[in-house]
Amino acid sequence: MTASPRHDDLPEITRLTVAATASAPALLLRPWRPGDAAALVGLYRDEALRRWVSAIVHDRAGAARWVQDQRRGWEAGHRFAFAISEVRADGDEGELVGHAVLKNITPGAPSAEVGYWTAAHARGRGVAPRSLEALTDWAFTTFAGGGLSRLELLHQADNTASCRVALKCGYDLSSLLPAAPPAFPAEGHVHARARDL
């Protein structure tokens, strides 16, 4: 992976791998592809997932639009969304197990935001913390030259699983956000992690 690739090249070359553990297979983080739309519809049938995410996918057309929006973010250079899949024993890519994103990247700005979700069938296998660590390392390595030194992670205060993942990955709770209905119906947490110098 090149440290400072052109943004329009990133969707085709950026693939992050996470080593297997004693209890979980390796992970692959790669840009979303149009062919992921059908699987995405199935993942969004999970009520718990729909409770925590801002974009809801109802059908294949909506999933295709969502995937296209993620690709446009790569092209624009301000949002870098990764599909997460498990790597099978034969080394091939397995089923989708989640999503991780680096967003609000602005040249010269010191901070950006990360986010993630895990598919219902993959929860409890360390997908979120392992993916967040890989995304964090990639973000700080790739964008440090542009001034990135802080990443923020936001979640609803009652999303205790996301809070645990954030803390496990070194994202300290830094502030509370008041509710702002209808978009943000509940109070939120802001976690932050600084780049190691």
Side-chain angles (χ1 to χ4, degrees):
M1 180 171 48
T2 306
S4 299
R6 291 182 13 224
H7 291 311
D8 57 350
D9 291 339
L10 285 170
E12 305 313 320
I13 64 171
T14 303
R15 295 165 65 88
L16 311 178
T17 56
V18 180
T21 69
S23 60
L27 300 174
L28 171 67
L29 284 73
R30 48 95 177 146
W32 287 89
R33 299 186 292 238
D36 295 325
L40 188 62
V41 173
L43 298 179
Y44 265 86
R45 289 190 182 116
D46 173 33
E47 287 183 33
L49 175 61
R50 290 196 312 266
R51 178 177 178 198
W52 304 122
V53 298
S54 57
I56 302 298
V57 171
H58 296 289
D59 55 26
R60 184 131 184 203
R65 283 190 300 273
W66 185 90
V67 169
Q68 185 59 37
D69 286 346
Q70 306 318 302
R71 301 217 26 111
R72 284 190 193 108
W74 280 90
E75 292 163 4
H78 61 78
R79 181 183 177 91
F80 303 95
F82 292 87
I84 306 166
S85 60
E86 291 181 331
V87 179
R88 296 193 308 239
D90 62 6
D92 288 341
E93 183 178 341
E95 66 183 333
L96 292 173
V97 293
H99 165 75
V101 61
L102 170 67
K103 54 189 174 179
N104 303 326
I105 287 285
T106 304
S111 66
E113 185 182 341
V114 293
Y116 53 84
W117 51 256
T118 303
H121 66 271
R123 291 186 192 126
R125 299 201 306 243
V127 170
R130 294 164 62 215
S131 299
L132 179 58
E133 282 291 351
L135 179 66
T136 300
D137 291 345
W138 176 78
F140 282 143
T141 299
T142 304
F143 297 99
L148 182 66
S149 60
R150 174 186 163 96
L151 291 173
E152 293 184 341
L153 188 158
L154 284 63
H155 66 82
Q156 283 186 203
D158 56 346
N159 188 341
T160 57
S162 276
C163 203
R164 284 192 303 271
V165 169
L167 294 171
K168 181 176 185 175
C169 293
Y171 283 78
D172 296 327
L173 181 61
S174 63
S175 62
L176 299 178
L177 292 173
F184 302 101
E187 184 179 69
H189 284 178
V190 178
H191 294 260
R193 179 169 161 178
R195 177 169 51 91
D196 295 332
L197 300 177

